[in-house]
Amino acid sequence: MKLPVQLYTIDQVRAMDRYAIDVIGIAGSELMERAGQCAFNLLTQVWPDARYISVFCGAGNNGGDGYVIARLALEHGLQVNLLALATIERLQGDALIAANHYFQAGGTISKIEEKSWKNSDVVVDSLLGTGLGREVGGDYKLAIEAINSSQLPILAVDIPSGLHADSGRVLGVAVVEADQTATFIGLKQGLFTGQAADVCGQVNYYSLEVPQSVLELEQPSALRFIAPSPLLPTRKFSAHKGHFGHVLLIGGESGYSGAICLAAQAAARCGAGLISIATRNAHAALLMLTQPEIMSHGIHSAEQLKPLLEKATVVVIGPGLGQSDWAKQLLNAVLECDLPVVIDADALNLLALDPGCQRNNCVYTPHPGEAARLLNCSSQAVQNDRFSAIRQLHDDYGGIVVLKGAGTLVYDGEKITVNSTGNPGMATGGMGDVLSGVIAGLIAQGQDLDSATRVAVWLHGAAADNVARAGQRGLLASDLLPQIRKLVNQ
């Protein structure tokens, strides 16, 4: 299923829902009926042999969707076990209407304690919808734990219960781990970043056939990034290396030459014309032997860096840089120049020690730990609300910010994009170094910082996805290099 690129906050989707009801005139019960029908259709498509389903229903409209699904299942001859965590007396409005229709169709309510539901073919999660804003506890926590421990296939309705729809974080310690999620009206931004990647399974979107005016009511809070094709323009036959920029990469403290080498190779493989490395003297000759196309310079002071900066188109600083006085000198020299700069790894950690530097021609690429140091908070706080964290990073440091992780975010001060590529095999050393090199390589070839960064993040993940077809375990950062070259030439 092709998903829209637009993402929305909870409040925005609620406003769209209310507009459909109050202005367009679609009854809330009709929208609930459509949502239940779409979810039921998905269930039968994904699990066509299912004959016995269990539906867990909560007290709100999400529970109402579950009652619709259960009724439709009965009408199609399926055996249904409905487990309600709210008595019929607690239901109101459209949810109560849906429940009554279910009972009129011959439906009954079972008790969770009976355990017979664990023999079902599919479990439907309609416990807690997008309105959840507190940690899950009590009977709901127990129900979620029981669903997960059953090891049965799970369909989540609108959002896995226990997941925050804005931030993508788990509310407490309980969240349904779904295989499929059916979501409605607008894609919720929290379904695509942070912990959501572990619990949403395949996300399926349904507009519920509302008019286009409903879908255009709100400006998206973020966008899923789908890379343009082609990634780069066709080269002229008369082109030469000077047309494609000169990337200068700075880093490689003693014992850490691999990081700067990976970044340089990535810049080269995505098409930069010239590549230079500024590193410790002990590494310079070795790096040229590793990759002879790269010009490697041993430097011991910021003064020696200046001639290299004068020849560069774009600078990467940070991979393997360390936090010594040597590293600080080099970073200060880079921050004083006017070139576009990609700041990664230890360069970010040095910035965190002396915050206050704002540059619009910088790309910052922190992972959650580095972001936490930049913001003087915990990495858990960053992960709890990645959208807020990236906005704060931009407010504090300017430029383009890349918040790495599952569902990498990119923010330029105006729009946030959520990356659509990547996999858990990327959880290995050197991946961030490769990304920094790709960003710089695209900037060197003439792309603006914003476009280069978004494309590079997509390209980096797509290369890893190609490699991971042979398996995620054992995937190395250097494995991405041939795929990067392949993708930029498609």
Side-chain angles (χ1 to χ4, degrees):
M1 175 179 289
K2 187 175 181 179
L3 298 177
V5 298
Q6 298 87 355
L7 303 179
Y8 300 93
T9 65
I10 299 168
D11 288 343
Q12 288 178 315
V13 176
R14 285 176 184 159
M16 294 158 72
D17 192 65
R18 293 311 312 169
Y19 186 84
I21 294 170
D22 297 339
V23 178
I24 303 300
I26 305 173
S29 58
E30 173 60 22
L31 289 176
M32 185 172 288
E33 184 71 21
R34 294 179 189 180
Q37 183 70 67
C38 289
F40 179 71
N41 290 346
L42 176 64
L43 187 154
T44 58
Q45 290 164 11
V46 176
W47 299 286
D49 296 328
R51 294 293 177 266
Y52 176 23
I53 70 168
S54 291
V55 184
F56 283 73
C57 293
N61 283 346
N62 193 254
D65 295 339
Y67 278 101
V68 174
I69 295 167
R71 190 201 80 235
L72 291 170
L74 286 177
E75 292 172 353
H76 283 77
L78 275 64
Q79 183 179 348
V80 176
N81 218 341
L82 191 142
L83 303 105
L85 271 73
T87 62
I88 192 69
E89 292 78 19
R90 289 181 57 196
L91 300 183
Q92 299 178 6
D94 300 327
L96 179 59
I97 293 172
N100 286 332
H101 287 167
Y102 168 71
F103 294 128
Q104 290 166 10
T108 59
I109 292 179
S110 302
K111 294 181 179 180
I112 298 176
E113 296 80 11
E114 293 175 0
K115 305 282 195 262
S116 59
W117 62 271
K118 292 189 176 182
N119 296 319
S120 57
D121 299 312
V122 180
V123 173
V124 177
D125 162 33
S126 288
L127 287 171
L128 300 165
T130 58
L132 183 66
R134 65 186 185 281
E135 290 193 2
V136 178
D139 290 341
Y140 283 90
K141 178 176 179 291
L142 295 175
I144 290 172
E145 291 172 344
I147 291 171
N148 290 336
S149 66
S150 73
Q151 299 185 339
L152 295 170
I154 300 169
L155 168 63
V157 179
D158 210 17
I159 189 168
S161 293
L163 186 72
H164 195 276
D166 275 352
S167 65
R169 69 183 175 95
V170 173
L171 292 163
V173 294
V175 63
V176 168
E177 299 168 5
D179 298 285
Q180 298 281 333
T181 297
T183 196
F184 314 115
I185 302 289
L187 287 177
K188 291 76 181 172
Q189 65 180 29
L191 293 174
F192 297 95
T193 194
Q195 294 168 291
D198 290 326
V199 300
C200 290
Q202 178 71 43
V203 176
N204 306 268
Y205 166 74
Y206 303 95
S207 69
L208 305 188
E209 301 179 15
V210 299
Q212 191 65 28
S213 59
V214 174
L215 304 178
E216 295 174 351
L217 179 67
E218 299 283 337
Q219 290 296 315
S221 60
L223 299 171
R224 292 172 55 252
F225 186 70
I226 309 298
S229 182
L231 295 178
L232 293 168
T234 302
R235 292 185 170 186
K236 295 180 179 180
F237 280 100
S238 59
H240 59 77
K241 61 189 176 184
H243 289 145
F244 306 114
H246 189 159
V247 180
L248 172 62
L249 303 104
I250 304 167
E253 179 57 280
S254 297
Y256 294 94
S257 61
I260 202 67
C261 184
L262 280 170
Q265 290 174 317
R269 285 300 184 187
C270 71
L274 291 165
I275 311 290
S276 292
I277 290 177
T279 188
R280 285 290 195 182
N281 284 320
H283 294 151
L286 177 62
L287 288 172
M288 283 192 289
L289 290 173
T290 303
Q291 191 75 54
E293 297 87 352
I294 294 172
M295 297 170 283
S296 186
H297 307 269
I299 60 170
H300 63 265
S301 70
E303 191 65 29
Q304 288 184 304
L305 187 62
K306 290 181 180 178
L308 300 178
L309 289 170
E310 291 172 359
K311 297 178 181 179
T313 307
V314 57
V315 178
V316 176
I317 185 165
L321 182 67
Q323 299 183 46
S324 65
D325 288 340
W326 175 77
K328 293 174 184 176
Q329 285 183 45
L330 301 186
L331 177 60
N332 289 336
V334 168
L335 294 176
E336 290 172 2
C337 79
D338 295 326
L339 294 169
V341 182
V342 180
I343 300 182
D344 186 31
D346 274 325
L348 294 168
N349 293 326
L350 288 174
L351 276 185
L353 296 174
D354 187 21
C357 172
Q358 276 211 356
R359 283 177 56 117
N360 289 328
N361 64 341
C362 270
V363 180
Y364 305 92
T365 62
H367 57 56
E370 291 159 346
R373 288 187 280 277
L374 289 166
L375 296 175
N376 193 28
C377 66
S378 68
S379 58
Q380 187 61 53
V382 171
Q383 290 293 78
N384 281 347
D385 194 341
R386 289 168 56 83
F387 290 93
S388 293
I390 199 169
R391 289 189 178 96
Q392 189 61 56
L393 285 164
H394 180 271
D395 289 346
D396 290 351
Y397 296 92
I400 312 295
V401 183
V402 179
L403 182 55
K404 295 184 289 195
T408 291
L409 306 181
V410 181
Y411 184 48
D412 63 351
E414 294 184 3
K415 64 180 181 295
I416 294 177
T417 53
V418 184
N419 187 42
S420 58
T421 60
N423 63 79
M426 300 173 76
T428 185
M431 284 293 174
D433 305 316
V434 171
L435 175 60
S436 294
V438 175
I439 295 171
L442 296 181
I443 294 171
Q445 293 174 78
Q447 291 201 3
D448 63 82
L449 267 67
D450 184 32
S451 298
T453 303
R454 297 180 202 276
V455 170
V457 169
W458 180 91
L459 177 64
H460 182 244
D465 288 343
N466 286 351
V467 176
R469 289 172 184 165
Q472 294 178 359
R473 285 187 175 86
L475 194 159
L476 301 179
S478 57
D479 293 338
L480 272 59
L481 299 174
Q483 291 298 326
I484 288 169
R485 184 186 176 205
K486 180 180 179 180
L487 287 166
V488 295
N489 282 292
Q490 287 183 351

